[in-house]
Amino acid sequence: MVNAAAADTGIDALQTPALLLDLAKVRANAARMSARARSLGVSLRPHLKTAKSAPVARILTEGWSGAIMVSTLAEAEYFFSEGFSDILYGVGVTPSKFERIAGLATRGRFGVLVDSLETAKALVDYSSSSPLRLDVHIEIDADGHRGGVAPQSQLLLDIGARLTQARDLTLRGVLTHAGEAYNARGTTALERCAAGERDAVVNAAVRLTKAGHQCESVSLGSTPTAMFARDLSGVTELRAGVFAFGDLVQAELGACAIEDIALGVLTTVIGHQPGAGRVIVDAGWLALSGDRGTADFPHDWHYGAVADPLGRQVQVDVTVKRANQEHGLIEAREGILDVSRFPLGSRVRILPNHACATAAAFDTYAVHDGNEVVAFWPRKNGW
Amino acid sequence: MVNAAAADTGIDALQTPALLLDLAKVRANAARMSARARSLGVSLRPHLKTAKSAPVARILTEGWSGAIMVSTLAEAEYFFSEGFSDILYGVGVTPSKFERIAGLATRGRFGVLVDSLETAKALVDYSSSSPLRLDVHIEIDADGHRGGVAPQSQLLLDIGARLTQARDLTLRGVLTHAGEAYNARGTTALERCAAGERDAVVNAAVRLTKAGHQCESVSLGSTPTAMFARDLSGVTELRAGVFAFGDLVQAELGACAIEDIALGVLTTVIGHQPGAGRVIVDAGWLALSGDRGTADFPHDWHYGAVADPLGRQVQVDVTVKRANQEHGLIEAREGILDVSRFPLGSRVRILPNHACATAAAFDTYAVHDGNEVVAFWPRKNGW
């Protein structure tokens, strides 16, 4: 995992903007979620949509079977190449992707999800003419957030019945994601989201089983519901992704502490506008992402929180208040910033609102242990 | 420019999400801006921060000297490799980048901008110990948008005087960008921005010249001010980038028509929620960008406008109303969408709010002439 070429390089030698990843924090975040899954009596399938990196996936799956979830077929291809052998693709499939999916299904255990009779029928038809040894999970709608079938619907049973008509397809189970948890505020509301997510997927599993169908996997998750769930009876698998890095949205939700945030963008002060109380850094919305995920929380961090290069000394009175493509504008929350606090040429680390979005602009993590860069890890972007 | 491997491929055969670029529209957009620069009596230096692609840069510089502007040093390296020989880097420099800049300066005419005495001094000091044949432009603040020195300031003259102390540095001129034009609404306000941008940079040039300094280049621009400028007397060079592709923000500003938008994301319908009136496509905020640039305009297009795969038949009653990482949710602006309008497996093109942001998630353009994909063009992402 450690790239020898990076040895003896300090953070100071990096060109900016650079995507920093604190190795100790990633390990601690992974250990915390692993312990949580164990205490809840479920297995952990990390979602790699945030990290998109095999070395990170190895840390997150330590002590588990190695099962992972991905958000693109490009990730699936990459992780099979990196030796992972149980991969679930978390976006609904469509016939124009069946050929690529069939290729992936020859490389290990590969799963997809469906939430319509039409797609289930298309998969069954495809598998009758081409070999397609595939796991299929039925997506359950827990909270009206996005897709999925209602747990109490006839459609659930109809899809189950349709899928079992194909010899090579395995109806592996049911799966949900309580995305509306991101709109919940406070412990009680988040615990209610987690309970609703569990009830939806467990009810669906019970109904499928009673109808005579296999339902080995009962899977749910998001980082906030994982952290606020009190009881996962009936569930077999927990999925989560952003916990690996943490971010300001997770911190505002209470799903991590600000000190747990492993990801950050190292940036250099390139300009001062003393009259306006403005410090200009060489990380704009392209490096930081335009994600304004904390806009609706009590602490709006604008385009990111300002810390020292190691992520310490988070400044509460200033933020990256505005961002152009390659310029971030650090200003005081109130009043006029004394720009001498951030000398020209000095460096700060910007903590991200949303780790998935911020990491996406980079193809490499500069992995550090304190001031030392110990590795450069790749990311598999694209589709 | 045309990749033979792409011949005989139709748009229908592309995996989604894919970044589409309409070749005829790019050419028309380039011709329109070229004509505009000629009619205003200035030369055109296209800004490649939007396209980041040599084949696009060749179209945009047709009939001009080939001078371009870039937003990252990675772009500068790429475009020198592609044969461009006059490149201006549009982000303020800092000593940790001087070595890389010195390398670039050996590959052609290379320019940087400064807006502080401290950076000017650092550049002069560096050039006294290392060879550094570099153009330096002084950045002028036209509207308080970001950085730059005030045109009427003593600082402008002090920086000019400092830069002329170095034998190898060439003070090439002054440069500004009226970024506040994006906050202007209506022809009168935009014309006022364009006039203010011109006045700022011309006043700075006059003061520098009167003080005995060289000021060969008097440069300004943004796509909206370029389209709304009525008189650029005293200006030598116009810079703009997003005009090449157009987007919904430019259309809302009146700087292009919605039919001029060359860029789009091809996406497939992967889900239906008939009760919610929701159509789910396989392009979320990662492919579309999270940029909500039209939020403050009369027509808020949410995460993008929905059109047919060739960009025709723009639907005015629906938008990509919400977006998750890999899911876009098409819903009606008002009421419940009849999801049968967008059958499962069918494809639509999403027109972007902000072309620079949407293109950034991709490393390749699928360039098309009608339904035919005529080339795959690369993008140089990263820093």
Side-chain angles (χ1 to χ4, degrees):
Chain A
M1 291 192 312
V2 173
N3 182 335
D8 299 326
T9 304
I11 283 181
D12 295 348
L14 294 171
Q15 287 281 295
T16 55
L19 187 65
L20 294 177
L21 192 60
D22 187 312
L23 184 56
K25 289 186 180 179
V26 174
R27 287 190 168 136
N29 292 342
R32 188 164 52 242
M33 187 59 83
S34 277
R36 186 123 191 89
R38 285 207 176 78
S39 76
L40 289 162
V42 294
S43 62
L44 179 65
R45 180 187 289 269
H47 199 322
L48 270 300
K49 80 186 187 89
T50 311
K52 300 190 182 223
S53 184
V56 177
R58 289 187 190 105
I59 293 174
L60 302 185
T61 54
E62 251 170 49
W64 299 97
S65 69
I68 60 171
M69 188 158 189
V70 298
S71 62
T72 68
L73 296 181
E75 285 171 50
E77 289 157 355
Y78 164 73
F79 283 109
F80 274 130
S81 299
E82 289 286 334
F84 291 83
S85 58
D86 181 350
I87 300 180
L88 175 56
Y89 171 52
V91 178
V93 295
T94 183
S96 60
K97 292 179 181 165
F98 285 174
E99 191 178 329
R100 200 165 162 203
I101 287 167
L104 283 160
T106 65
R107 301 179 66 178
R109 186 157 205 176
F110 190 56
V112 299
L113 49 90
V114 300
D115 72 347
S116 76
L117 202 53
E118 190 173 336
T119 302
K121 184 175 180 307
L123 259 182
V124 171
D125 290 350
Y126 184 91
S127 77
S128 70
S129 58
S130 304
L132 186 63
R133 194 170 294 273
L134 195 67
D135 287 345
V136 185
H137 302 246
I138 303 176
E139 185 181 5
I140 306 300
D141 177 13
D143 56 7
H145 176 67
R146 186 164 70 200
V149 305
Q152 71 280 16
S153 64
Q154 180 58 36
L155 180 57
L156 169 69
L157 303 182
D158 292 345
I159 294 175
R162 176 68 69 164
L163 289 171
T164 53
Q165 291 170 358
R167 200 185 46 196
D168 289 347
L169 300 181
T170 301
L171 171 57
R172 193 158 175 195
V174 287
L175 168 159
T176 198
H177 164 66
E180 287 299 310
Y182 285 92
N183 296 321
R185 300 289 180 270
T187 301
T188 307
L190 281 157
E191 288 180 353
R192 200 177 300 128
C193 284
E197 186 182 40
R198 177 205 61 209
D199 290 347
V201 76
V202 171
N203 287 343
V206 167
R207 291 187 67 231
L208 267 185
T209 308
K210 279 192 180 159
H213 299 303
Q214 294 273 358
C215 193
E216 174 204 338
S217 174
V218 183
S219 174
L220 55 66
S222 74
T223 293
T225 55
M227 295 310 290
F228 284 91
R230 301 183 64 160
D231 174 18
L232 292 186
S233 304
V235 172
T236 66
E237 180 181 273
L238 179 64
R239 307 182 325 279
V242 70
F243 74 89
F245 296 166
D247 58 28
L248 295 165
V249 166
Q250 298 298 330
E252 290 293 319
L253 283 167
C256 75
I258 214 165
E259 294 74 22
D260 298 330
I261 300 175
L263 194 78
V265 174
L266 184 69
T267 183
T268 304
V269 174
I270 58 170
H272 278 168
Q273 293 281 308
R278 181 183 303 154
V279 168
I280 304 178
V281 296
D282 66 353
W285 57 251
L286 194 55
L288 302 176
S289 92
D291 196 295
R292 289 279 293 103
T294 56
D296 297 330
F297 284 94
H299 299 93
D300 182 351
W301 291 98
H302 303 109
Y303 289 89
V306 180
D308 83 354
L310 295 183
R312 303 168 305 196
Q313 301 169 32
V314 177
Q315 309 288 302
V316 294
D317 62 332
V318 303
T319 62
V320 182
K321 216 160 184 180
R322 290 188 290 140
N324 300 155
Q325 185 164 340
E326 297 293 348
H327 300 81
L329 310 186
I330 297 176
E331 297 178 4
R333 287 182 180 276
E334 290 176 22
I336 300 289
L337 170 65
D338 171 8
V339 300
S340 71
R341 275 171 58 186
F342 301 96
L344 280 175
S346 67
R347 290 174 165 208
V348 294
R349 182 188 189 110
I350 310 300
L351 307 185
N353 278 320
H354 187 173
C356 311
T358 298
F362 295 84
D363 58 11
T364 308
Y365 298 96
V367 183
H368 67 99
D369 180 359
N371 271 306
E372 193 190 356
V373 177
V374 295
F376 291 103
W377 286 350
R379 274 179 57 85
K380 183 62 189 176
N381 290 321
W383 291 270
Chain B
M1 293 190 312
V2 173
N3 182 334
D8 299 328
T9 303
I11 283 180
D12 295 349
L14 294 170
Q15 287 281 296
T16 56
L19 187 65
L20 295 177
L21 192 61
D22 187 312
L23 184 55
K25 289 185 180 179
V26 174
R27 287 191 168 136
N29 293 341
R32 191 164 48 245
M33 188 59 84
S34 276
R36 187 125 190 89
R38 285 206 176 80
S39 76
L40 289 162
V42 295
S43 62
L44 179 65
R45 180 187 289 269
H47 199 321
L48 271 300
K49 81 187 187 84
T50 310
K52 301 191 182 223
S53 184
V56 177
R58 289 186 192 107
I59 292 174
L60 302 185
T61 54
E62 251 170 49
W64 300 99
S65 70
I68 61 172
M69 187 156 188
V70 298
S71 62
T72 68
L73 296 181
E75 286 171 50
E77 288 156 357
Y78 164 73
F79 283 109
F80 274 130
S81 298
E82 289 285 334
F84 290 83
S85 58
D86 180 350
I87 300 180
L88 174 56
Y89 171 52
V91 178
V93 296
T94 183
S96 61
K97 293 179 181 165
F98 286 174
E99 191 177 329
R100 201 165 160 203
I101 287 167
L104 283 160
T106 65
R107 301 178 66 179
R109 185 157 205 176
F110 190 55
V112 300
L113 49 89
V114 300
D115 72 347
S116 75
L117 202 54
E118 190 173 335
T119 303
K121 183 175 180 309
L123 259 182
V124 170
D125 289 350
Y126 184 90
S127 76
S128 70
S129 58
S130 303
L132 186 63
R133 192 170 296 272
L134 194 67
D135 286 345
V136 186
H137 302 246
I138 303 177
E139 184 181 6
I140 306 301
D141 177 13
D143 56 7
H145 177 67
R146 186 165 69 202
V149 304
Q152 70 280 16
S153 64
Q154 180 59 37
L155 180 57
L156 169 69
L157 304 182
D158 292 346
I159 293 174
R162 176 68 68 163
L163 289 171
T164 53
Q165 291 171 356
R167 198 186 44 193
D168 289 347
L169 300 181
T170 302
L171 172 57
R172 193 160 174 196
V174 286
L175 168 159
T176 197
H177 164 67
E180 287 299 309
Y182 285 92
N183 296 321
R185 299 291 180 269
T187 300
T188 307
L190 281 157
E191 287 179 354
R192 201 177 299 129
C193 284
E197 187 181 39
R198 177 205 60 208
D199 290 348
V201 75
V202 171
N203 288 344
V206 167
R207 290 187 67 231
L208 267 185
T209 308
K210 277 192 181 159
H213 299 303
Q214 293 275 356
C215 192
E216 172 204 340
S217 174
V218 183
S219 174
L220 55 67
S222 74
T223 292
T225 54
M227 296 309 291
F228 284 90
R230 300 182 66 159
D231 174 17
L232 292 186
S233 303
V235 173
T236 66
E237 179 183 272
L238 179 64
R239 306 182 326 277
V242 72
F243 74 88
F245 295 166
D247 58 28
L248 294 165
V249 166
Q250 298 298 330
E252 290 293 320
L253 284 166
C256 74
I258 214 166
E259 293 74 22
D260 298 330
I261 301 175
L263 194 80
V265 174
L266 184 69
T267 182
T268 305
V269 174
I270 58 169
H272 278 168
Q273 293 281 308
R278 181 183 302 153
V279 169
I280 304 178
V281 295
D282 67 352
W285 56 250
L286 194 55
L288 302 176
S289 94
D291 195 296
R292 290 279 293 101
T294 56
D296 298 329
F297 284 94
H299 298 94
D300 182 350
W301 291 100
H302 303 110
Y303 289 89
V306 180
D308 82 354
L310 295 183
R312 304 167 305 194
Q313 300 170 33
V314 177
Q315 309 288 303
V316 293
D317 63 332
V318 303
T319 61
V320 181
K321 215 158 183 182
R322 291 188 290 139
N324 300 155
Q325 186 163 340
E326 297 293 347
H327 300 81
L329 310 186
I330 296 177
E331 297 179 3
R333 286 183 181 276
E334 290 177 21
I336 301 291
L337 171 65
D338 171 9
V339 300
S340 70
R341 275 171 58 186
F342 301 96
L344 281 174
S346 67
R347 292 174 165 207
V348 294
R349 181 188 191 112
I350 310 299
L351 307 185
N353 277 321
H354 187 172
C356 311
T358 297
F362 295 84
D363 58 11
T364 308
Y365 298 95
V367 183
H368 68 99
D369 180 359
N371 271 304
E372 192 191 357
V373 177
V374 294
F376 291 104
W377 286 349
R379 273 179 57 85
K380 184 61 189 177
N381 290 321
W383 291 269

